[in-house]
Amino acid sequence: MKRIVLSIFLLLSALPIFSADALFGDELAFKSGERAVYNIYYNLGPIWLHAANVEFSAKERMVDQMACFDLQVTGNTIRSFDKMYTIRDTFAATVKRDGLQTLTYRESKHEDSYNCDKRYRYEWNEKGEKAKVYFVQNRKGKVTKDTMDVEQGIRDLISTCYHFRGVDMSKVSKGQSIPFKMVLDNEIFELKLKYCGSETIKLRNKKKYKALKFKPQVVTGDIFEDNDALAVYVSDDENHVPLYIEAKIKVGYLKVQLDNVSGTKTPMSSLVAK
């Protein structure tokens, strides 16, 4: 479930891949103070259970005289679902405002008896083209350390999510895929997202939105059997706020739906009037 939670913002097979650099505008699609809350529903036979809640937040601050964002994701199962499986996870990244380049990233996971804390520190060279990443993991008191070298354009999971909200959709055609690289679990993954067109969707809170549909390639393993197991819908406006996810996982199905969002950079013009 933890990767479903974070796959919410991966907005963007064997289709041709083109350079993504020219697809992103200079302006960010979000601002400091934005907050979005999601409900996660799990399929148990014919029944859909409200299993968990997830909150995303962005706050701007100065770090060593640089304008930065603190991006945070918290996820927890609700009390009635805790008897089946308990999650109390926090993911946090501090990134430069210019280009959303990662400075630090942390994962703190508490899932039933599993407890693990992962920290990443990025030391960029003067030109910001390359970085040495220092990784420390504490799992049940056992500490492991490692380092890796990364290049410009490789981001952590959270900053990748926010970065892709800035795609200029006037430059993307239906059926095209956008490539990206991401650090996950101390490895570098090369992935892509395919744009599948536009639809109007209705959420459980009765609100209707004009939406853009994407198929993100996911990392197979503990959660997914198929790397085409997710469908993601985002608001068809300048904010590109994720609205709805449907996912097939190894042990059933999940649905993630926007409950409420506040502090968006521009009004949610994708909302369809009643």
Side-chain angles (χ1 to χ4, degrees), residues 154-194:
I154 297 178
R155 295 178 173 82
D156 65 87
L157 190 54
I158 300 177
S159 61
T160 297
C161 297
Y162 280 90
H163 174 65
F164 269 100
R165 290 175 58 185
V167 169
D168 183 351
M169 290 305 300
S170 68
K171 299 178 181 179
V172 181
S173 301
K174 184 177 179 179
Q176 288 183 316
S177 294
I178 302 175
F180 62 97
K181 295 181 181 181
M182 180 176 63
V183 175
L184 180 65
D185 292 338
N186 206 32
E187 295 184 52
I188 296 174
F189 291 89
E190 297 188 21
L191 303 170
K192 53 192 173 181
L193 282 91
K194 185 173 79 172

Side-chain angles (χ1 to χ4, degrees), residues 63-258:
V63 178
D64 295 332
Q65 298 182 332
M66 288 187 300
C68 296
F69 276 103
D70 287 331
L71 306 175
Q72 181 168 288
V73 180
T74 57
N76 63 276
T77 44
I78 64 174
R79 186 171 298 178
S80 60
F81 199 83
D82 283 344
K83 297 177 182 179
M84 297 177 59
Y85 194 80
T86 302
I87 292 178
R88 300 290 186 269
D89 288 351
T90 299
F91 304 80
T94 297
V95 301
K96 296 180 182 179
R97 192 187 194 285
D98 184 15
L100 301 184
Q101 195 173 60
T102 307
L103 298 176
T104 63
Y105 176 71
R106 179 184 178 185
E107 297 181 4
S108 180
K109 302 176 184 176
H110 302 274
E111 301 169 3
D112 275 355
S113 60
Y114 174 84
N115 295 289
C116 186
D117 186 87
K118 298 178 182 179
R119 298 174 185 249
Y120 301 76
R121 179 171 54 87
Y122 290 65
E123 288 191 359
W124 294 94
N125 63 13
E126 291 184 2
K127 294 183 179 180
E129 297 173 343
K130 297 182 179 180
K132 178 75 73 175
V133 181
Y134 297 89
F135 169 74
V136 179
Q137 174 179 280
N138 186 331
R139 181 176 179 182
K140 295 184 177 180
K142 182 180 179 180
V143 177
T144 57
K145 299 181 179 181
D146 198 2
T147 60
M148 69 170 62
D149 295 312
V150 301
E151 297 181 353
Q152 185 178 21
I154 297 178
R155 295 178 173 82
D156 65 87
L157 190 54
I158 300 177
S159 61
T160 297
C161 297
Y162 280 90
H163 174 65
F164 269 100
R165 290 175 58 185
V167 169
D168 183 351
M169 290 305 300
S170 68
K171 299 178 181 179
V172 181
S173 301
K174 184 177 179 179
Q176 288 183 316
S177 294
I178 302 175
F180 62 97
K181 295 181 181 181
M182 180 176 63
V183 175
L184 180 65
D185 292 338
N186 206 32
E187 295 184 52
I188 296 174
F189 291 89
E190 297 188 21
L191 303 170
K192 53 192 173 181
L193 282 91
K194 185 173 79 172
Y195 173 51
C196 301
S198 59
E199 298 181 19
T200 297
I201 63 172
K202 185 177 181 180
L203 303 181
R204 292 178 70 96
N205 60 12
K206 309 300 182 183
K207 293 182 178 180
K208 286 185 179 181
Y209 290 90
K210 295 179 181 179
L212 306 172
K213 181 181 180 180
F214 297 88
K215 280 277 191 176
Q217 178 187 356
V218 298
V219 179
T220 58
D222 294 341
I223 305 299
F224 303 107
E225 290 183 326
D226 185 351
N227 62 14
D228 193 34
L230 279 178
V232 180
Y233 297 79
V234 305
S235 62
D236 189 2
D237 53 34
E238 294 182 7
N239 300 297
H240 293 161
V241 172
L243 302 169
Y244 172 63
I245 291 176
E246 51 188 16
K248 181 180 180 181
I249 60 176
K250 285 187 174 181
V251 290
Y253 292 86
L254 289 176
K255 291 183 180 180
V256 181
Q257 297 210 9
L258 178 69

